[in-house]
């Protein structure tokens, strides 16, 4: 069983910064892609940023230049440094990770952490 535990959310003023962390645990040798998604009220969940085990990254256009995703493979932890936050970044942020299984692959989600940016 895999667990993804997020931390670091909170309330911040516009222009401020937050750092999210997601620690993955379970009987998994290594995780493939790890990423962050977000869901604002009344909107669909969307990809924010993702990083492969080799370090390749992908960002939503709306966060490029402001957010940075990184990971520590030894700790199975992924981070999201969020700078220059805007009110439109307000959402619940979810961690996602996928891994290889004997029959293919699987993925799971964290419980989510609220990020609120006040203008």
């Amino acid at each position: 069983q895999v667990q993804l535990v997020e931390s670091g959310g909170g309330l911040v003023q516009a222009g401020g910064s937050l750092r999210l962390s997601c620690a993955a645990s379970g009987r998994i040798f290594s995780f493939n892609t790890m990423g962050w998604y977000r869901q604002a009220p009344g909107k669909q969940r969307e990809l924010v940023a993702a990083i492969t085990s080799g370090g390749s990254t992908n960002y939503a256009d709306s966060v490029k230049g402001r957010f940075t995703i990184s990971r520590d493979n030894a700790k199975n932890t992924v981070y999201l440094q969020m700078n220059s936050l805007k009110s439109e970044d307000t959402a619940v942020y979810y961690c996602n990770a996928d891994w290889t299984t004997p029959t293919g692959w699987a993925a799971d989600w964290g419980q989510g952490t609220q990020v609120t940016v006040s203008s």
Side-chain angles (χ1 to χ4, degrees), residues 40-118:
K43 294 189 176 181
Q44 288 189 331
R45 191 172 297 188
E46 62 176 1
L47 173 69
V48 176
I51 184 168
T52 67
S53 57
S56 296
T57 58
N58 181 38
Y59 294 93
D61 288 342
S62 59
V63 307
K64 283 180 180 176
R66 300 188 298 121
F67 292 9
T68 302
I69 190 169
S70 60
R71 65 189 282 175
D72 184 334
N73 289 331
K75 296 181 179 180
N76 285 331
T77 300
V78 62
Y79 306 96
L80 186 68
Q81 178 65 43
M82 305 185 293
N83 298 329
S84 302
L85 283 161
K86 305 176 181 179
S87 58
E88 50 262 44
D89 295 319
T90 295
V92 178
Y93 284 69
Y94 296 91
C95 175
N96 178 273
D98 66 73
W99 60 93
T100 302
T101 71
T103 56
W105 65 278
D108 207 349
W109 297 90
Q111 80 284 357
T113 185
Q114 177 70 46
V115 171
T116 303
V117 183
S118 63

